[in-house]
Amino acid sequence: MGRDVPALDFTREDRRRFRNKTHSCLDVFARMLRESRFDFERPQVGLEIELNLVDGAAEPAMRGPDVLAAIADPSWSTELGRFNLEINIEPRRLAAGGPDSWEREIRGALNHAEEKAAAIGAHLVMIGILPTLELKDTGPESLSENPRYHLLNEQIFAARGEDLLISVDGVERLRTYAGTITPEAACTSTQFHLQVAPDEFAGCWNAAQAVAGVQVALAANSPFLFGKELWRETRVPLFEQATDTRPDEIKVQGVRPRVWFGERWITSVFDLFEENARYFPALLPLCDDEDPEETLARGGTPALSELTLHNGTVYRWNRPVYDVVDGVPHLRVENRVLPAGPTVADVLSNGAFYYGLVRALVDEDRPVWSRMSFAAAEENLHTAARHGIDAQLYWPGAGEVPVTELVLRRLLPLADRGLERMGLDAARREPLLGVIEQRCVTGRNGAVWQAETVRHLQEHGHADRHEALRRMTEQYVEYMHLNAPAHTWPVD
């Protein structure tokens, strides 16, 4: 979905042709998998971070196009809302230069962008959901100017035939309707990419699914939406609801949602692309001129444009990615479960824990997904989103256990072992995983700090809810720039 698309209307012929091209792409993809035409000798990792824009009072700033022009860097791009931007960090070998060099690169890029944004009266915030965002900020005028988002909005509502219901019961209760998909823009995430060999893809994806709940519990950073305190990671239910193409009558028929955890462990990356084509009608049936079979026959690398475009409109929490770089294809797992922020230090620690844990679980003789039902993994995700670092999750051999205990006793040692196998020495591993350890010891993460700070400001700072959210966001931005992990932030 990252590509630009024209503004147009689709015909029945467009949809028929797109379906045929998608199935042709699937056939070619299957041949490529059989013939091992993929780059996996020097696997890389990558990172995308979505950010919010605020003004000097920490209120939403609809300045995305202006800020993007001021930054003038191709690494930055628009996002769904005018109050969003996204940065794509250059892929790299995990051990190349070490985490310190990666951190300097990311902080340098963010600091440069903040300087350019501040010059025109805007500021960047790396947070799961912007706490000062109100429902009135997510109307059609807040939708990005990029035609692809307007086209996506039209297609989703054409499929639904009615407004979106957003309903979340948490600490407080939210129930409202939206006439555009712009509330999805409230969800800003960190996306970790892991390049893998075709024969390892299934194991890596299964492992990522198995640990998704643990990731969300540890890194929850989205307790507020439209002035209400809801789940610790409210991004999860909001994202699932804000892009749902199904009216209630279709839901009860068992039609699958487009924001999807999945329904089974897989044996091949092909399973995921084939499910996309089988279960989901095209939202954007745009056909490329390339004939993928002809391209493959003459020794070229097909872009598989229809397959990848369709894949970009099925929002799996762990998404398969087919991409071509310098004429060579590769596969990636795109891990999409985590919120943005709170700091670069937190983001890199989350990444180290994820990469190391997936590597270690794939290497186990008896994989965790052979001992755990897929339904249990999905339930873990939603339990973690609701309760955050206080969640109790299921794990094979441990049963229902506090996530902090599970991580300290079992998963941190596994992540350490996995990072070692990926080439990170102890001096580089320990500071990164130490942040995860201290989160568990203190029971504190971004969501805990946000909720406690707002409560403190309401009780002792003589502030109503919105003013407390605004002041908290101002403090958050200050601590974010200091780059001390969120479990160390004071409440005052």
Side-chain angles (χ1 to χ4, degrees), residues 315-333:
Y315 304 97
R316 295 179 185 269
W317 291 109
N318 283 291
R319 177 188 276 166
V321 176
Y322 167 90
D323 203 358
V324 180
V325 178
D326 296 329
V328 181
H330 69 261
L331 299 172
R332 303 194 305 269
V333 177

Side-chain angles (χ1 to χ4, degrees), residues 232-251:
R232 284 301 183 246
E233 189 48 42
T234 307
R235 265 180 61 257
V236 170
L238 176 60
F239 191 46
E240 289 176 341
Q241 295 176 33
T243 53
D244 199 339
T245 57
R246 307 166 304 160
D248 288 343
E249 295 82 359
I250 298 299
K251 290 179 186 178

Side-chain angles (χ1 to χ4, degrees), residues 278-294:
R278 178 155 38 107
Y279 294 145
F280 301 102
L283 282 180
L284 301 174
L286 294 161
C287 288
D288 192 83
D289 291 335
E290 179 188 64
D291 182 335
E293 295 178 352
E294 181 182 303

Side-chain angles (χ1 to χ4, degrees), residues 29 48 148 194 281 285 302 305 322 328 363 429 432 443 453 480:
F29 185 52
E48 297 173 72
R148 75 174 180 263
L194 177 61
S305 297
Y322 167 90
V328 181
D363 289 343
R429 300 192 306 268
L432 292 166
T453 300
M480 179 189 77

Side-chain angles (χ1 to χ4, degrees), residues 98-208:
D100 289 345
S101 67
W102 211 16
E103 181 172 353
R104 285 193 299 272
E105 178 185 342
I106 297 168
R107 291 195 68 191
L110 294 178
N111 289 341
H112 169 76
E114 169 63 22
E115 179 183 345
K116 296 297 184 182
I120 61 172
H123 303 276
L124 301 175
V125 187
M126 192 164 53
I127 195 167
I129 294 176
L130 182 62
T132 53
L133 192 74
E134 298 183 342
L135 183 61
K136 65 180 177 61
D137 299 314
T138 61
E141 68 282 353
S142 301
L143 196 63
S144 167
E145 294 176 344
N146 193 309
R148 75 174 180 263
Y149 296 121
H150 288 269
L151 193 54
L152 189 65
N153 180 70
E154 293 168 6
Q155 295 300 306
I156 286 176
F157 277 90
R160 281 187 61 82
E162 62 188 53
D163 285 352
L164 288 161
L165 170 63
I166 298 173
S167 178
V168 186
D169 291 331
V171 177
E172 297 169 344
R173 186 170 188 263
L174 173 70
R175 184 180 175 90
T176 188
Y177 287 88
T180 72
I181 62 170
T182 318
E184 182 199 334
C187 305
T188 44
S189 65
T190 299
Q191 296 153 27
F192 294 113
H193 290 254
L194 177 61
Q195 184 182 341
V196 297
D199 61 355
E200 278 203 331
F201 188 97
C204 289
W205 187 85
N206 289 342

